Amino acid sequence: MTSVKACPLLLLLFSLVSMGKAECNLPALNGKIVLSSESILKNSFPDNSEAIVECAKGYERDEGPTSITCVKGVWSEVKLICKKIDCGQPKLSEHMTYSIPDGTLFGAYIQPRCEIGYDLEGSSHRQCLVSGWSGKAECLLTVCNLPDTIEHGKRVAPREEPVFNDVITYTCDDNYILVGNSSIKCGEYGDYSSPPPKCIVIITSTKASTATNKATTTDTTADTTADTTADTTADTTADTTADTTADTTADTTTETTTETTTASARSHGGLVEELTTGILCVFALVIIAAIIAALLFVYYNYKHKGSYNTGEELRAKQELLLNQSV
């Protein structure tokens, strides 16, 4: 009878003792520290129980214990210290450097850069992750498109796909002249230093046109000289003057024609101007010669006429009559 009454008392005492023991809730942790996968699966954390903590992804343990304890419903202080993973310096590729403004710790970004004349192939930015640097990048030699050929000329390239600093040269066929740069260079951005040149035909005066110009000049000079000389020497008494005028005109015409021919050989562009000047000079000399001839002719006639007006014939007649009368 006594034992039966004691059992309820023992159950009551046990429940009272159990009510005095408090449990802990899930611990509140910062982003650098988290519960381990084992501890996070527990349904409860009774008094004096432990929980395992660890560093979050991207962090690693620096110092401190990895466990905390539940004491009367309160977790003990977390003394674990975690730091960011350091990805270190990235592996350099050929002809490449890196811009690292924010360091090399977890989450930082870096930017690959290529040397002049090389193009970046791959990621333009890389990030430090748990597994290391993300992405890949390399520097490739810049390639230029092969320029077009030119009409009436030739193109010489060192290869089918010119690369940075390659030089393409151009030459023209016979009777053509090159306008522009005779060589162009492949640049750092895949373009050329200048456009391809052009070949333009050379324009020259032909022998036939030169001969025609000379013949025209000679005919014009001869006609002008003949007409002027004929008009000036119409009277037979002016033969000497005509000969002198003809010789002077011929010499002048010969010198002018020689000068015109020499000037024509020196410059095709000034042929018309030289011929015009020569013809004008011939005209001027012929006119001067004509004036001189006319003056000589007038003077000769005037002198000859004066000899009949001196009265010599009248005096001769008077002397004859006087002699007859005696």
Side-chain angles (χ1 to χ4, degrees), residues 148-154 171-173 176 197-200:
D148 296 334
T149 57
I150 58 175
E151 293 183 358
H152 312 294
K154 297 178 181 179
T171 56
C172 290
D173 299 337
Y176 287 86
K198 296 181 179 180
C199 291
I200 299 178

Side-chain angles (χ1 to χ4, degrees), residues 37 76 85 91 98 105 116 120 131 133 144 157-158 177 189 201 210 226 251 264 268 290 298 306 320:
S37 57
S76 61
I85 294 174
K91 184 179 179 181
Y98 279 95
L105 298 179
I116 295 177
L120 180 65
S131 58
W133 291 109
C144 293
I177 186 171
Y189 301 110
V201 65
T210 303
D251 294 338
S264 175
H268 294 290
V298 172
L320 179 59

Side-chain angles (χ1 to χ4, degrees), residues 81-141:
I81 298 176
C82 297
K83 63 180 180 180
K84 287 185 177 181
I85 294 174
D86 189 350
C87 290
Q89 293 292 325
K91 184 179 179 181
L92 294 178
S93 299
E94 193 174 2
H95 308 292
M96 178 185 291
T97 58
Y98 279 95
S99 173
I100 308 176
D102 302 324
T104 58
L105 298 179
F106 177 74
Y109 286 91
I110 59 175
Q111 183 178 4
R113 294 178 178 175
C114 295
E115 296 177 2
I116 295 177
Y118 291 83
D119 295 327
L120 180 65
E121 186 78 13
S123 303
S124 59
H125 291 81
R126 302 180 67 184
Q127 186 180 17
C128 178
L129 303 177
V130 176
S131 58
W133 291 109
S134 65
K136 292 181 179 180
E138 60 180 338
C139 294
L140 303 178
L141 190 62

Side-chain angles (χ1 to χ4, degrees), residues 10-295:
L10 291 174
L11 292 173
L12 179 61
L13 181 61
F14 180 76
S15 62
L16 290 175
V17 172
S18 299
M19 289 177 63
K21 294 181 179 180
E23 294 184 353
C24 291
N25 297 322
L26 288 173
L29 304 172
N30 58 35
K32 298 180 182 180
I33 301 173
V34 295
L35 284 175
S36 65
S37 57
E38 179 183 353
S39 296
I40 204 170
L41 294 176
K42 291 182 178 180
N43 295 324
S44 62
F45 297 94
D47 193 26
N48 291 328
S49 62
E50 291 184 348
I52 305 301
V53 293
E54 59 185 17
C55 296
K57 290 184 177 180
Y59 294 83
E60 59 185 359
R61 180 175 177 274
D62 186 20
E63 61 181 19
T66 59
S67 64
I68 54 177
T69 305
C70 177
V71 179
K72 296 181 180 179
V74 179
W75 290 105
S76 61
E77 180 183 1
V78 178
K79 296 183 179 181
L80 177 64
I81 298 176
C82 297
K83 63 180 180 180
K84 287 185 177 181
I85 294 174
D86 189 350
C87 290
Q89 293 292 325
K91 184 179 179 181
L92 294 178
S93 299
E94 193 174 2
H95 308 292
M96 178 185 291
T97 58
Y98 279 95
S99 173
I100 308 176
D102 302 324
T104 58
L105 298 179
F106 177 74
Y109 286 91
I110 59 175
Q111 183 178 4
R113 294 178 178 175
C114 295
E115 296 177 2
I116 295 177
Y118 291 83
D119 295 327
L120 180 65
E121 186 78 13
S123 303
S124 59
H125 291 81
R126 302 180 67 184
Q127 186 180 17
C128 178
L129 303 177
V130 176
S131 58
W133 291 109
S134 65
K136 292 181 179 180
E138 60 180 338
C139 294
L140 303 178
L141 190 62
T142 301
V143 177
C144 293
N145 293 327
L146 190 65
D148 296 334
T149 57
I150 58 175
E151 293 183 358
H152 312 294
K154 297 178 181 179
R155 176 196 64 197
V156 178
R159 66 194 87 222
E160 288 297 326
E161 290 188 349
V163 297
F164 176 62
N165 276 339
D166 277 352
V167 176
I168 289 83
T169 57
Y170 292 89
T171 56
C172 290
D173 299 337
D174 294 340
N175 299 325
Y176 287 86
I177 186 171
L178 188 142
V179 177
N181 294 324
S182 60
S183 62
I184 58 177
K185 181 184 288 187
C186 176
E188 59 180 301
Y189 301 110
D191 53 2
Y192 286 96
S193 56
S194 64
K198 296 181 179 180
C199 291
I200 299 178
V201 65
I202 300 174
I203 300 176
T204 57
S205 300
T206 62
K207 294 182 179 180
S209 62
T210 303
T212 302
N213 291 334
K214 290 182 180 179
T216 303
T217 303
T218 304
D219 293 341
T220 303
T221 304
D223 293 341
T224 304
T225 304
D227 293 340
T228 306
T229 304
D231 294 337
T232 306
T233 60
D235 197 288
T236 56
T237 60
D239 292 339
T240 305
T241 304
D243 293 338
T244 304
T245 303
D247 293 339
T248 304
T249 304
D251 294 338
T252 305
T253 304
T254 303
E255 293 175 358
T256 304
T257 305
T258 304
E259 292 176 357
T260 304
T261 304
T262 304
S264 175
R266 287 197 301 266
S267 173
H268 294 290
L271 180 60
V272 176
E273 183 179 355
E274 293 291 339
L275 290 176
T276 303
T277 304
I279 293 172
L280 291 176
C281 290
V282 171
F283 275 120
L285 291 174
V286 170
I287 291 172
I288 292 171
I291 293 171
I292 293 173
L295 292 174

